[in-house]
Amino acid sequence: MVTAIVTILMFLVMISLHEFGHFITAKLMNFKILEYSIGFGPAIWRSKKSEIQYSLRCIPFGGYCKFEGEDEKSEDPRAFSNRPCWQRIIVVAAGGISNVILGFVLFIFIVAATSPVSTNVVDQIVPNSYIEQEGIRPGDKIVEINGKHVSFYSDIALYTQSFKADEECEIAVKRDGQKLHFKFKPTENTAEYKYTDEGIEVTSAVNGAESDTVLYPYSDKNPKDESLIGTTETETRYIIGFVPRQKDINFFNVWGESWNETKFVVKLVYNSLWQMITGKVGMDQMSGPVGVVSEVHNAVSSGSYSWLYVLNLTALLTINLGVFNLLPIPALDGGRLFFMLIELVTRRKIPPEKEGIVHAIGFLLLIGLIIFISYHDIVKLIAK
């Protein structure tokens, strides 16, 4: 029940804010708005003020802001199709931008609650790591990895995901105002997890040399799973080999750190899409509504820190929604923006009925994609 309530609230907040972005910009620029609706299906509440009908509908996973002349011709000068192209671009883009802004606001609370945060400055070199012999020192600020710019710690976490054994990598650091370049091999970091009655015993090894063993007692944040007791898991990843310097969060730097986290999620969305296009990530690894509900359940079941996990999941989802919605895909806001940009360049308006056909086809394809992804989400849940 808690999972269902939290899921509905999350979607209502994200969708209502998205549609409010369209609504408020259109209202400020004097568009003729017919209806502002949260949800789809039959209306459970309606109220008409001035010329606008406000509706709350029974299916909470959607919504819309309906304009006069949006998909048809209209003689009204305030109709959507009769407004200047630059104004229509602002109104259509405002929905996705509102979602990104919501993510930024949520990250302000998340970053403040998780202080201190890691930075891209080296605090310690991990013993037995390859960079120990390359001359990288504590205090060096990492600014590039394999030619990709690094502005905060999350960039490092993203770029090191693709590290492989024995490959030659390049890192650039800032030291005393100078930019220095180093070549190195990624360090093999192995973690063995033993599930005992007392807690999870984690043994770490760096390039084959055992470093330490730590017992993590079970708690609200680390709940006990009886089915895992007596089992062992091993995880291997390839890292640079350093401990990042920590930074305390205060009123003055929380804004910049929150914006960094927002930019990182945007970058992550594009990176995931590129991996999908290039075949590095399969379509079956994407998550749809079923997968989202499963993640919400995990978040609300995480004990005393559940509120923080829910906020973080909401921030990730709303930014994903905003960015994905602005991609040039028919039926999405980005598809509409694409037609408007063509109009802006060619100075010729595309007939609304022809554009409507393209969006209708795109909508059917999106529904098919959602069904496909939901099927794989269900299969993954059954297999657990």
Side-chain angles (χ1 to χ4, degrees):
M1 178 60 77
V2 175
T3 298
I5 293 171
V6 172
T7 302
I8 290 170
L9 286 174
M10 284 173 58
F11 275 95
L12 280 176
V13 169
M14 291 188 293
I15 293 163
S16 59
L17 191 69
H18 179 96
E19 297 304 327
F20 183 75
H22 296 313
F23 174 82
I24 193 64
T25 49
K27 197 166 178 61
L28 288 171
M29 289 187 284
N30 199 30
F31 281 60
K32 186 173 181 179
I33 305 168
L34 300 178
E35 184 177 1
Y36 174 66
S37 175
I38 302 302
F40 288 127
I44 55 178
W45 174 84
R46 284 179 179 173
S47 177
K48 191 163 187 176
K49 292 184 180 179
S50 185
E51 62 187 6
I52 305 171
Q53 178 171 284
Y54 299 89
S55 306
L56 183 62
R57 299 178 180 272
C58 62
I59 304 174
F61 305 111
Y64 56 88
C65 187
K66 188 177 181 181
F67 301 100
E68 170 77 20
E70 188 173 1
D71 292 313
E72 70 284 334
K73 291 181 180 179
S74 174
E75 300 301 321
D76 193 318
R78 295 170 57 220
F80 185 90
S81 56
N82 295 331
R83 304 302 292 172
C85 188
W86 66 270
Q87 289 187 359
R88 284 181 276 132
I89 288 173
I90 291 173
V91 170
V92 172
I97 292 171
S98 297
N99 284 121
V100 176
I101 292 172
L102 172 61
F104 168 70
V105 172
L106 292 176
F107 272 127
I108 291 173
F109 295 98
I110 295 165
V111 170
T114 53
S115 176
V117 298
S118 298
T119 69
N120 54 325
V121 177
V122 177
D123 190 53
Q124 300 173 42
I125 303 296
V126 175
N128 300 307
S129 63
Y130 289 121
I131 65 167
E132 192 175 27
Q133 295 90 38
E134 299 301 328
I136 295 174
R137 307 173 190 167
D140 288 347
K141 184 177 182 180
I142 299 173
V143 293
E144 281 181 17
I145 296 175
N146 290 336
K148 297 176 181 176
H149 178 69
V150 171
S151 55
F152 47 95
Y153 181 75
S154 293
D155 282 340
I156 298 172
L158 176 63
Y159 299 147
T160 54
Q161 284 180 358
S162 59
F163 278 2
K164 296 180 179 64
D166 299 322
E167 74 170 314
E168 187 176 73
C169 300
E170 187 172 324
I171 191 171
V173 303
K174 279 286 184 71
R175 180 191 299 168
D176 299 327
Q178 288 187 310
K179 188 175 180 181
L180 306 175
H181 293 264
F182 299 90
K183 291 186 177 180
F184 70 100
K185 281 201 307 181
T187 290
E188 182 183 81
N189 178 227
T190 304
E192 183 182 76
Y193 302 87
K194 289 183 180 178
Y195 296 89
T196 68
D197 286 320
E198 293 76 29
I200 304 174
E201 192 178 277
V202 182
T203 302
S204 299
V206 176
N207 285 332
E210 188 173 313
S211 55
D212 58 6
T213 299
V214 179
L215 179 68
Y216 294 93
Y218 297 115
S219 63
D220 285 341
K221 194 175 181 180
N222 183 31
K224 186 176 183 178
D225 186 343
E226 292 290 347
S227 65
L228 294 175
I229 303 301
T231 64
T232 301
E233 293 178 3
T234 302
E235 180 183 84
T236 301
R237 59 195 184 100
Y238 295 92
I239 59 174
I240 296 173
F242 77 102
V243 177
R245 183 170 294 175
Q246 301 294 298
K247 177 170 69 175
D248 289 323
I249 295 299
N250 54 46
F251 176 81
F252 299 101
N253 62 20
V254 70
W255 313 97
E257 289 300 320
S258 301
W259 181 239
N260 284 342
E261 291 299 324
T262 304
K263 288 192 298 182
F264 173 70
V265 178
V266 172
K267 189 183 296 184
L268 199 60
V269 175
Y270 284 115
N271 186 66
S272 300
L273 285 169
W274 178 247
Q275 288 186 325
M276 189 177 69
I277 292 168
T278 55
K280 294 179 181 178
V281 172
M283 294 281 287
D284 58 341
Q285 291 179 265
M286 295 178 67
S287 286
V290 176
V292 170
V293 173
S294 177
E295 289 302 317
V296 172
H297 175 73
N298 293 336
V300 299
S301 305
S302 54
S304 57
Y305 291 87
S306 59
W307 68 272
L308 190 58
Y309 289 112
V310 169
L311 280 186
N312 191 63
L313 181 58
T314 306
L316 294 173
L317 288 174
T318 188
I319 295 172
N320 269 267
L321 174 63
V323 174
F324 187 77
N325 193 258
L326 292 174
L327 293 175
I329 299 172
L332 298 181
D333 289 340
R336 293 182 177 276
L337 286 171
F338 180 73
F339 281 101
M340 291 174 197
L341 290 173
I342 292 175
E343 179 187 336
L344 201 63
V345 172
T346 63
R347 306 287 183 179
R348 294 179 61 185
K349 189 175 290 187
I350 296 170
E353 59 275 10
K354 291 184 180 179
E355 184 180 337
I357 292 171
V358 174
H359 292 313
I361 295 170
F363 180 75
L364 292 174
L365 292 174
L366 281 174
I367 294 297
L369 177 63
I370 291 170
I371 294 171
F372 173 81
I373 293 171
S374 297
Y375 167 76
H376 282 279
D377 283 341
I378 293 168
V379 169
K380 283 185 279 187
L381 283 173
I382 294 172
K384 284 186 177 181

